[in-house]
Amino acid sequence: MAPDRFADQLSWLAKNRTLIPLSEFASLHRRNQLPDDAIAVTFDDGYACTAKVAAPLLQRHRVPATIFIPAALIGRTRLFWWDELRQIVMTHPDANLRARSRIFELGERQIRDSAWPRDSRKRTPRQRGLYALWSELQPLPLQDIEKAMAELSREHVPITNNKNLRLMTADEVRSIRSDNIQFGSHALTHVSLPSLGGPEKAHEIRESVAACEQLVGARPVSFAYPFGDFDHECETLVAAAGFACACTVEPRAVADDDDLFALPRLKVGNWTGRQLGRELADVSCQRETVAIGA
């Protein structure tokens, strides 16, 4: 998202909505005391741009926010696997690509490949190929994903580091923590939790508490399911680990009867403040958790 667009969104939100931290949002929701225009702003993944660009703007506009981090990955120099995958697919010179002993059709490269449409029916052939390969990898354990990515990077385009896509360092995490900016857990290693067995799922959730607390210096009270994937066992484990709430990626407003451990969120695009207002109106947005840059 362009910094000026983000600043415009924050300005609009500050003027037109009641902005509260997610932890307070969850507490008020539990007591049926949420203001009708309540908004909680969240970020996923822990990208460095959240610290370098978003955090100063959040402070300037006095907008509270929660950043969900996969604590075991913070500080590593390698990009997230999906960012590496996008680089490989979008720069691959051929119309197909071999991965995991299969051929994925990509089509010829087009200018439109870089503009991802909101309507999946309007995707370019290469975007459809990227999504097909992403869908193949996403449910796998992290070690299997990274093995597949290592094979891809050897056989196709070498991965180049992109400073805009790297994760925050531990120092960057600590430097932006404040009363205004809180940190929640995004599991230990950002894996799709329902694809794991019970012990592995419990480990990802429970151990993320101590890992996040050690990194940030405060116990996390909120959780976001990686990729928005969750099941009833996930909800139970998150509650048992002591979290006060958990967020999904279901794009709608929070209803009075929504479970605290399955809160929906609206993903925000590269919009102006006025466009954000229209989007919120289109989803009848009130009492909403808003994911920016997720």
Side-chain angles (χ1 to χ4, degrees):
M1 181 186 298
D4 59 336
R5 290 288 182 97
F6 180 51
D8 195 36
Q9 291 175 7
L10 294 180
S11 177
W12 187 92
L13 287 171
K15 294 173 183 176
N16 295 281
R17 291 292 187 268
T18 297
L19 300 172
I20 56 179
L22 179 60
S23 56
E24 182 181 346
F25 186 102
S27 178
L28 292 171
H29 177 61
R30 178 175 53 81
R31 303 198 305 268
N32 291 317
Q33 294 178 356
L34 266 180
D36 285 342
D37 63 346
I39 293 279
V41 175
T42 69
F43 294 78
D44 283 4
D45 301 337
Y47 283 105
C49 59
T50 308
K52 298 173 72 67
V53 178
L57 292 172
L58 289 165
Q59 298 287 16
R60 183 184 308 168
H61 291 272
R62 299 181 180 179
V63 174
T66 297
I67 302 170
F68 294 108
I69 54 173
L73 302 183
I74 292 298
R76 75 172 192 170
T77 56
R78 186 172 180 177
L79 304 184
F80 279 120
W81 67 264
W82 54 85
D83 290 323
E84 291 184 355
L85 182 65
R86 186 178 183 123
Q87 285 186 359
I88 289 174
V89 171
M90 290 306 181
T91 60
H92 188 58
D94 300 330
N96 56 63
L97 181 149
R98 175 177 289 276
R100 291 179 57 79
S101 302
R102 288 179 52 197
I103 297 295
F104 289 82
E105 297 295 331
L106 304 181
E108 299 299 330
R109 287 188 289 179
Q110 302 179 21
I111 294 177
R112 292 192 302 122
D113 291 337
S114 61
W116 203 274
R118 298 179 67 182
D119 186 342
S120 61
R121 296 170 297 180
K122 297 180 181 179
R123 289 175 183 164
T124 66
R126 187 149 296 221
Q127 288 169 346
R128 290 195 294 271
L130 172 58
Y131 182 73
L133 187 46
W134 180 92
S135 299
E136 176 99 358
L137 297 177
Q138 188 258 355
L140 300 177
L142 183 61
Q143 60 268 29
D144 292 345
I145 294 175
E146 295 194 330
K147 178 181 177 182
M149 291 305 306
E151 293 172 354
L152 276 171
S153 63
R154 284 197 300 268
E155 297 175 8
H156 301 286
V157 178
I159 297 301
T160 57
N161 287 329
N162 184 325
K163 63 182 180 180
N164 294 320
L165 295 176
R166 71 170 177 83
L167 279 73
M168 283 188 276
T169 65
D171 286 342
E172 285 173 328
V173 169
R174 298 185 186 105
S175 71
I176 64 172
R177 179 180 169 252
S178 66
D179 292 339
N180 204 51
I181 297 177
Q182 301 175 355
F183 285 88
S185 171
H186 212 19
L188 271 179
T189 61
H190 202 295
V191 292
S192 177
L193 295 173
S195 67
L196 302 178
E200 293 82 7
K201 188 184 298 183
H203 176 79
E204 279 283 334
I205 294 170
R206 292 170 182 164
E207 297 306 313
S208 75
V209 177
C212 192
E213 183 172 12
Q214 181 177 14
L215 182 64
V216 177
R219 183 182 177 88
V221 297
S222 55
F223 190 94
Y225 302 109
F227 308 108
D229 297 345
F230 71 104
D231 54 23
H232 179 68
E233 185 179 21
C234 290
E235 292 184 71
T236 301
L237 287 168
V238 169
F243 292 100
C245 65
C247 293
T248 71
V249 293
E250 184 181 358
R252 62 172 178 82
V254 176
D256 288 339
D257 59 351
D258 272 331
D259 192 312
L260 277 169
F261 296 95
L263 294 174
R265 284 190 293 174
L266 174 68
K267 185 174 182 179
V268 174
N270 189 34
W271 308 325
T272 65
R274 184 170 295 181
Q275 287 174 322
L276 174 60
R278 287 198 296 266
E279 293 289 335
L280 296 181
D282 286 345
V283 295
S284 301
C285 181
Q286 54 184 355
R287 304 175 178 183
E288 182 60 275
T289 51
V290 175
I292 299 180

